[in-house]
Amino acid sequence: MTEYSITFKSSAVKEFRRLPTEIKQRLGLVIDELSQNPRPIGIVKLKGNDNLYRVRMGDYRVVYEIDDSAKLIRITRIRHRKDVYRQR
């Protein structure tokens, strides 16, 4: 399987930076694994959008888009489970 590139939406970078160090380290491992397998066991395809997925890490969720033609994963949100699906 070919490796996917990972990019972050600017708001996702800000969300990531605000997290506690321990959570950042654990989420970093999850995000790195996505580059090898963008559809691991346990992901959920979000309803209402054709290419949005979420992966769970404890109480946090990483929401991302997959572009198979460009081999690209774009992280759009990284938030606590109580806030991740709320619109701003």
Side-chain angles (χ1 to χ4, degrees):
M1 183 176 266
T2 59
E3 192 168 315
Y4 283 67
S5 298
I6 297 178
T7 62
F8 287 79
K9 191 174 173 182
S10 60
S11 59
V13 171
K14 289 178 187 177
E15 293 167 354
F16 186 76
R17 287 183 180 155
R18 290 184 192 141
L19 297 173
T21 304
E22 178 186 328
I23 301 297
K24 283 195 271 192
Q25 290 172 345
R26 291 176 55 201
L27 280 173
L29 294 173
V30 169
I31 292 169
D32 286 343
E33 289 174 14
L34 288 176
S35 68
Q36 299 297 319
N37 182 10
R39 294 177 181 90
I41 295 173
I43 69 155
V44 174
K45 187 171 186 321
L46 298 181
K47 294 180 182 178
N49 197 307
D50 289 341
N51 59 347
L52 270 184
Y53 298 84
R54 73 120 168 106
V55 65
R56 198 180 133 196
M57 195 281 313
D59 286 340
Y60 288 85
R61 306 295 185 260
V62 177
V63 178
Y64 62 97
E65 298 173 300
I66 301 172
D67 184 354
D68 288 314
S69 62
K71 300 291 183 196
L72 180 69
I73 295 173
R74 184 168 187 234
I75 309 292
T76 58
R77 288 186 184 176
I78 302 172
R79 294 187 189 165
H80 192 273
R81 66 186 180 95
K82 69 178 181 180
D83 298 323
V84 73
Y85 305 111
R86 294 182 184 168
Q87 297 297 323
R88 287 185 182 193

